Amino acid sequence: MLLHRLVLIVLVAQLSATTGRAEEAYYCSHCKRLAMQWLAAEAPGDKAPNRKYAPDRHVDVLHLKLDVTPDFANRSVSGTATMQFQPIAEPLRQLKLNAVGLEIESVESKHAIQTHQVTEDFLEITFAAAIPADEKSEVTIRYKVSPEEGLYFRTAEMGYQQGDTQLWTQGEPETHRHWFPSHDYPNEKFTTEMICHVPEGMVALSNGRLLSETKDEKTGLVAFHWLQDKVHVNYLISLVAGYFEKIEDQHGKIPIALYVPPSEKEQAANSFIDTKKILQFFDREIGVAYPWDKYYNVCAIDYMMGGMENTSLTTLTSRTLFTAAQENLRSSRSLDAHEAAHQWFGDLVTCKDWSHLWLNEGFATYYSLLYEQELLGNDFFKSGLYGKAQGIFSNSKDTIPMVYRDYNSPMDQFSFRAYPKGAWVLHMLRSQLGPDLFRKCVQTYLERHRFETVVTQDLIEVFEELSGRSLDQFFDQWVYLSGYPELKIDYKWNELTRQAKLSVRQVQMTNAKRPWFSFPLPIRFTVGEVQREVQIEITKEKEDFYMTLDQAPTLLRIDPEVTVLAKVNFNPSKEMLAVQLADASDVIGRLLAVKALAGKKDQVAIDALRKVLNEDAFHAVRSAAADGLAKLRTPESLEALMASLTQPDARVRQAVVRGLTRFHSDEAYAALRRVAGHETNPDIRSGALKALGKYVKPELRKYLLSQLRVSSYRHAIAGSAISAMQSQDDPYYVEPLLRELKQSEAAFTSGGFSSALRTLGLLARNESNKEPVRLFLLKQLDHLKKSVARSAMSALGELHDSKAIPVLETFAAADRESAEGKAAQSAIDKIRKEQRPRVPEEVNTLRSQVSDLQNQLKGMSEEMKVLRAQFKEAVESLKPAPKKSDQEKTGQAKPEKG
């Protein structure tokens, strides 16, 4: 390993000095980048690599046709998969397809099949004779499946509303193998076809365009036939079927629509308001027209993610829907834009493997921000970038680069590195190149690789070609290595020389995977009425920079336009803070000034924050002022918050209420009670109601119980009342809560009911008679909503009732690696932990003292060993040296005895 690393170091050194023709420069750049990745991956102390790569493509998949009939009552699927393919490069004797849990009924082909076998992960089809390379072939596979993953049912039998029955699929990253056989990895693209047979009155949606909708008079089922005639990867295949309400529009000749469960039809328009405008903007900004036959969004109940960009048919969580009463606290805009952007970045051009996932998610995240800039202005754009940067900074100890192969599961890659950091990498490129050149590069990248899979190098080549820049260092430090720069900046003004001195230190954690960064850092001085822009180059750990100005600046701003992903620690003077806070053109400057004021517990700071809270033009700055007043936690700051409750912007009003929850006083309690009783926005009301739980007031028992019966969207008010009951930790609520859960499960969302079960278990843990709660929770273990069943297991753990252990053990033993098995075992462990006898404090003290004595004796033993060795050495040094024999004196050897 050491030799390997030395060779790589020499390689980097040699390549760094290489100059020559264009071809040599390209290969030098490419090899150096690879060498830098290897060095970063082989940092001292790393574990042996567990790198993941795309699988070999032994065949070129040409077309996949799925003909499926779902059985909603039994939550199963009967299907036929027909795959057209041709071997690549070599004759093919065996075709291996990803398939998990499928009951294969038959396999047919025009090429004779010797046999087929089903393993744990594959369907292996062995042909009687090898199929020649490039010869087209086809297999037809009939199968049945009750899928555990990949395809999900939502039916009345499971506890969902009768009229909302639906099924939907989720293929990313690699879960379609659980409901149809396929090449389930994103390094292969092919066309697809979907035929789905459903009861009359239902609709079935899939990728591409609808070819036909035909009723079978014998079965009464209606077949929806969809064709996706432009290639895409396997995980983008989608099937959604069930009862839906539809609203629709047109984007040019492209039909667009939103499908929602019938129970949510009143909310549909709120989440469809931006879709057309988003597509119009992306067509202009990207420079490549929307590439598919339609663009539909469909809302899935209890969807495990926010959204999924299936080609031409995006799946959205139904949680994105909201009522008008929630005002601007809820919006589908960002999610809508993110998933729409994927139709270009992720669908038209797709990452070849999961190590390059940021090429999908980073672009989608960034273009969502660009749409907000277009729609709402530059302040929203900067605020969005700032917020995403704070999320990245919260992972300060992360040492994993964006392009990374040592992940355990593909889902590990769906992290802040792919999303906000990926967006920030693109933003820094756009900031350095300018919007026009950046747009040209992105357009060329898409046009050059449309309907292909890509890696990061493909993007780099386009940007280097069109910009003329060497981007080796940029991508090495931001993409192939990890982290971000953290800067400590000090400022001094020298009146004699009329120079401003900036001392810049990089203080982030560094190692082989996180070296010092090199990047341009914009600086803005305000001198009188004039702003002077300066750009300094950060290249070292510590550097001083001197700028000559006409007079001392009244304001100094670091990266005022938010163009560098760097955490900056700079403390401007009190005078500069005042100027910064008053600068109407600098939203992030004002935001930073507010945060600085929040650390000063004086009346001047409180007055300034109160003024900002009620007067600043931007909601995020006003909200930050509310957070700042709450952080101060003084009677004066509480009074300022209570006096500022009347806010026209719900986001600021929510921030004020959130601030009140950080106090504990009669005044704060009274204010929260007023909000809980009179606020019209259910989200704000819920926040106030939940916060009441930390108060011990005799009237709260009756009040919280009354809130259980309040009708609200998704039963949110009742859910908040239950959260307050949990905070109260009062067994008084056990009986009425148990009764409510028995009677009104249908009113709760799955998440709300699950949370209530855990609260019930917690509240009843000290009851002398736990049987009614235990029996109710045990009944939920067989709930067809797996999330509810797992929550019931967790609730039994909270209940601390050993009589639940035998039943929990049956679930744990059935499959210890499943989510249910782990939840059951966790509950068992929690119950048994509470059963262990408590050790008296005196015994613990005695154990501690004995341990201390043992450590002291061990130390004394080591000291004795050293003393013995020293004594022995001293004794040996005092012994007289032995006399030499005559033979030793003359150098003659003594003869051996015969």
Side-chain angles (χ1 to χ4, degrees):
M1 179 65 72
L2 179 60
L3 178 60
H4 188 193
R5 297 192 76 248
L6 288 172
V7 170
L8 290 172
I9 290 170
V10 172
L11 174 64
V12 172
Q14 289 179 338
L15 291 173
S16 296
T18 301
T19 57
R21 295 174 302 173
E23 303 97 300
E24 293 172 340
Y26 166 75
Y27 288 113
C28 169
S29 167
H30 186 60
C31 292
K32 183 169 70 173
R33 188 173 294 114
L34 290 174
M36 290 296 293
Q37 292 178 62
W38 292 336
L39 283 173
E42 294 175 5
D46 280 0
K47 296 179 180 179
N50 183 30
R51 298 198 175 101
K52 309 295 191 304
Y53 299 96
D56 291 335
R57 294 171 56 247
H58 297 291
V59 301
D60 182 13
V61 179
L62 305 174
H63 185 74
L64 177 65
K65 178 180 179 181
L66 298 175
D67 190 329
V68 297
T69 303
D71 182 340
F72 285 89
N74 295 304
R75 298 177 298 284
S76 63
V77 173
S78 298
T80 300
T82 303
M83 177 182 287
Q84 298 172 10
F85 65 93
Q86 59 187 34
I88 299 172
E90 297 178 350
L92 179 79
R93 183 74 193 284
Q94 186 179 78
L95 175 66
K96 291 178 67 173
L97 298 176
N98 299 109
V100 178
L102 307 185
E103 180 186 339
I104 305 299
E105 296 182 323
S106 67
V107 181
E108 300 174 357
S109 174
K110 70 176 185 179
H111 288 85
I113 294 175
Q114 178 176 310
T115 188
H116 75 267
Q117 66 175 352
V118 178
T119 68
E120 186 175 352
D121 297 310
F122 294 98
L123 167 61
E124 298 176 350
I125 304 170
T126 304
F127 297 96
I131 302 173
D134 299 326
E135 180 174 318
K136 292 184 179 180
S137 186
E138 180 177 292
V139 292
T140 299
I141 304 155
R142 291 179 176 82
Y143 64 95
K144 291 182 179 178
V145 63
S146 297
E148 293 294 321
E149 295 183 64
L151 186 148
Y152 304 85
F153 289 90
R154 300 291 183 252
T155 67
E157 293 80 4
M158 299 173 70
Y160 296 96
Q161 292 193 40
Q162 183 72 43
D164 285 351
T165 295
Q166 61 177 227
L167 70 79
W168 43 266
T169 62
Q170 171 58 37
E172 191 178 40
E174 301 167 13
T175 55
H176 276 336
R177 62 189 67 190
H178 293 271
W179 72 280
F180 66 85
S182 60
H183 178 94
D184 198 12
Y185 200 84
N187 66 332
E188 174 70 295
K189 288 198 170 190
F190 45 90
T191 56
T192 60
E193 206 168 342
M194 182 76 71
I195 302 173
C196 183
H197 307 263
V198 294
E200 190 171 15
M202 285 189 176
V203 63
L205 305 170
S206 190
N207 314 94
R209 65 181 187 275
L210 182 64
L211 297 182
S212 64
E213 180 181 338
T214 309
K215 181 178 179 180
D216 186 325
E217 296 300 334
K218 292 182 179 180
T219 64
L221 298 179
V222 178
F224 289 82
H225 188 176
W226 294 86
L227 174 65
Q228 172 62 40
D229 58 4
K230 298 171 185 175
V231 296
H232 60 162
V233 298
N234 195 71
Y235 74 75
L236 293 173
I237 294 172
S238 177
L239 172 64
V240 181
Y243 298 113
F244 291 96
E245 293 287 335
K246 175 187 179 183
I247 55 176
E248 57 189 325
D249 201 341
Q250 290 279 132
H251 167 55
K253 296 182 179 180
I254 304 295
I256 60 176
L258 172 64
Y259 288 79
V260 301
S263 64
E264 296 275 14
K265 64 181 179 180
E266 298 301 322
Q267 285 68 248
N270 297 331
S271 294
F272 192 56
I273 192 170
D274 282 287
T275 306
K276 181 175 182 177
K277 291 182 285 186
I278 289 168
L279 295 178
Q280 291 171 339
F281 169 69
F282 285 166
D283 274 358
R284 296 193 307 271
E285 176 62 30
I286 296 170
V288 176
Y290 179 79
W292 312 106
D293 293 316
K294 68 175 187 303
Y295 187 58
Y296 288 178
N297 285 318
V298 57
C299 287
I301 301 172
D302 278 355
Y303 186 54
M304 72 281 287
M305 299 180 183
M308 179 62 215
E309 65 275 12
N310 309 303
T311 313
S312 78
L313 179 62
T314 285
T315 308
L316 300 174
T317 172
S318 61
R319 295 187 303 275
T320 193
L321 300 169
F322 60 97
T323 67
Q326 292 169 292
E327 302 173 84
N328 56 13
L329 294 183
R330 302 295 177 102
S331 172
S332 298
R333 179 179 59 248
S334 180
L335 177 62
D336 194 358
H338 181 100
E339 303 304 333
H342 271 310
Q343 299 298 315
W344 287 266
F345 308 104
D347 294 8
L348 180 62
V349 174
T350 312
C351 65
K352 177 185 173 184
D353 63 53
W354 304 117
S355 68
H356 297 276
L357 178 67
W358 83 275
L359 294 173
N360 293 9
E361 301 300 346
F363 269 101
T365 303
Y366 189 51
Y367 275 77
S368 175
L369 287 172
L370 289 176
Y371 174 68
E372 291 208 333
Q373 181 184 35
E374 170 77 6
L375 182 72
L376 302 171
N378 212 33
D379 282 357
F380 277 83
F381 180 57
K382 290 179 181 178
S383 179
L385 286 165
Y386 176 82
K388 294 192 183 303
Q390 302 314 301
I392 298 168
F393 298 157
S394 68
N395 295 275
S396 60
K397 295 183 180 179
D398 181 72
T399 58
I400 297 175
M402 286 169 56
V403 175
Y404 182 67
R405 294 192 180 277
D406 291 343
Y407 54 85
N408 293 315
S409 162
M411 284 307 297
D412 295 346
Q413 293 293 90
F414 291 78
S415 71
F416 76 94
R417 291 179 292 274
Y419 290 78
K421 190 176 181 186
W424 255 100
V425 167
L426 295 170
H427 179 62
M428 288 188 288
L429 273 175
R430 188 171 181 261
S431 298
Q432 292 184 24
L433 301 180
D436 293 337
L437 180 54
F438 178 84
R439 187 180 300 110
K440 181 180 179 182
C441 291
V442 171
Q443 179 180 353
T444 303
Y445 163 72
L446 288 173
E447 290 174 341
R448 186 173 296 179
H449 298 290
R450 62 190 296 129
F451 303 120
E452 294 179 355
T453 59
V454 291
V455 295
T456 301
Q457 183 61 30
D458 295 316
L459 181 72
I460 294 171
E461 289 175 9
V462 171
F463 272 83
E464 287 191 332
E465 174 189 326
L466 297 184
S467 70
R469 297 194 182 195
S470 170
L471 295 173
D472 292 351
Q473 185 179 56
F474 179 91
F475 277 88
D476 280 342
Q477 64 186 5
W478 294 110
V479 176
Y480 292 118
L481 298 174
S482 68
Y484 54 85
E486 182 172 354
L487 306 179
K488 177 69 172 68
I489 299 180
D490 294 314
Y491 159 78
K492 288 184 179 180
W493 171 255
N494 189 321
E495 184 62 33
L496 291 176
T497 61
R498 301 237 170 164
Q499 284 188 324
K501 177 186 176 183
L502 290 183
S503 297
V504 182
R505 288 187 296 136
Q506 296 194 50
V507 296
Q508 70 272 13
M509 178 182 72
T510 59
N511 53 39
K513 293 184 179 181
R514 299 186 63 167
W516 306 120
F517 282 77
S518 295
F519 57 93
L521 181 65
I523 306 293
R524 176 185 294 161
F525 293 98
T526 299
V527 181
E529 299 297 321
V530 178
Q531 291 183 339
R532 179 178 170 185
E533 309 287 344
V534 177
Q535 182 167 284
I536 59 178
E537 296 291 331
I538 308 298
T539 59
K540 302 174 184 176
E541 178 186 359
K542 300 177 182 179
E543 296 176 90
D544 291 333
F545 300 90
Y546 297 86
M547 278 70 66
T548 302
L549 305 172
D550 293 337
Q551 62 188 63
T554 55
L555 181 60
L556 166 59
R557 284 281 288 114
I558 312 297
D559 190 25
E561 296 302 316
V562 198
T563 61
V564 180
L565 180 61
K567 185 176 182 180
V568 177
N569 300 304
F570 171 63
N571 297 314
S573 66
K574 184 170 59 175
E575 293 76 17
M576 281 190 175
L577 267 183
V579 176
Q580 188 170 315
L581 192 62
D583 189 349
S585 68
D586 186 3
V587 65
I588 301 303
R590 300 198 308 278
L591 189 61
L592 293 172
V594 164
K595 291 181 180 296
L597 286 171
K600 304 178 186 300
K601 283 195 174 185
D602 57 51
Q603 192 60 44
V604 173
I606 291 173
D607 291 342
L609 289 173
R610 181 172 180 169
K611 179 179 174 65
V612 170
L613 172 56
N614 290 284
E615 296 181 11
D616 196 274
F618 193 65
H619 74 91
V621 178
R622 299 202 301 280
S623 295
D627 292 339
L629 286 167
K631 183 180 177 182
L632 293 175
R633 290 178 58 84
T634 67
E636 293 79 12
S637 64
L638 172 60
E639 190 278 327
L641 284 170
M642 291 192 298
S644 304
L645 271 168
T646 306
Q647 295 284 342
D649 191 312
R651 292 165 295 192
V652 185
R653 201 160 71 249
Q654 184 180 55
V656 174
V657 173
R658 183 173 63 242
L660 292 176
T661 67
R662 297 184 65 176
F663 293 84
H664 193 278
S665 68
D666 289 341
E667 294 81 5
Y669 171 77
L672 290 170
R673 275 296 301 265
R674 287 193 296 274
V675 173
H678 302 290
E679 172 63 53
T680 58
N681 188 307
D683 288 359
I684 300 175
R685 181 180 174 186
S686 293
L689 182 58
K690 190 182 300 184
L692 292 175
K694 65 184 179 181
Y695 289 93
V696 181
K697 300 284 185 180
E699 68 271 18
L700 271 180
R701 282 181 168 183
K702 183 178 179 180
Y703 179 70
L704 292 179
L705 288 178
S706 72
Q707 299 303 295
L708 285 178
R709 294 178 287 279
V710 172
S711 177
S712 61
Y713 184 53
R714 294 179 182 156
H715 220 35
I717 299 301
S720 295
I722 293 170
S723 294
M725 292 175 189
Q726 179 173 323
S727 298
Q728 296 254 294
D729 200 5
D730 183 350
Y732 170 83
Y733 297 111
V734 171
E735 192 277 330
L737 179 56
L738 176 60
R739 184 173 60 250
E740 184 69 18
L741 294 180
K742 286 181 177 180
Q743 296 174 353
S744 306
E745 177 186 348
F748 289 89
T749 63
S750 300
F753 189 70
S754 296
S755 179
L757 292 179
R758 293 190 293 271
T759 297
L760 178 65
L762 180 72
L763 293 176
R765 70 190 185 282
N766 295 319
E767 292 288 270
S768 58
N769 180 18
K770 299 180 181 181
E771 185 174 8
V773 173
R774 183 184 73 251
L775 293 177
F776 174 70
L777 293 175
L778 287 173
K779 185 178 179 181
Q780 309 306 315
L781 297 185
D782 291 319
H783 205 293
L784 293 177
K785 293 181 181 179
K786 291 185 178 181
S787 61
V788 172
R790 290 193 297 270
S791 293
M793 294 174 187
S794 177
L796 286 166
E798 297 288 353
L799 186 63
H800 302 164
D801 189 345
S802 60
K803 293 180 180 179
I805 290 179
V807 179
L808 288 169
E809 283 180 332
T810 64
F811 286 88
D815 185 357
R816 296 193 181 278
E817 295 304 312
S818 69
E820 288 72 28
K822 291 178 180 178
Q825 188 59 53
S826 176
I828 293 169
D829 293 343
K830 193 162 190 175
I831 294 170
R832 286 178 172 158
K833 182 179 179 181
E834 289 301 317
Q835 287 180 318
R836 291 173 190 162
R838 303 250 178 216
V839 179
E841 186 61 32
E842 294 82 358
V843 175
N844 284 328
T845 301
L846 183 59
R847 284 176 176 172
S848 178
Q849 291 172 346
V850 170
S851 178
D852 289 342
L853 285 172
Q854 287 175 336
N855 290 332
Q856 292 175 25
L857 286 172
K858 185 178 179 181
M860 292 172 65
S861 177
E862 295 297 324
E863 290 176 3
M864 286 298 295
K865 287 180 182 179
V866 173
L867 288 172
R868 285 195 187 103
Q870 292 174 346
F871 179 76
K872 184 177 180 180
E873 185 180 344
V875 169
E876 291 294 329
S877 68
L878 294 175
K879 289 182 179 179
K883 293 182 179 180
K884 294 183 179 180
S885 66
D886 292 340
Q887 288 87 351
E888 288 174 316
K889 292 177 182 177
T890 60
Q892 295 176 356
K894 198 172 183 177
E896 294 183 1
K897 292 182 179 181

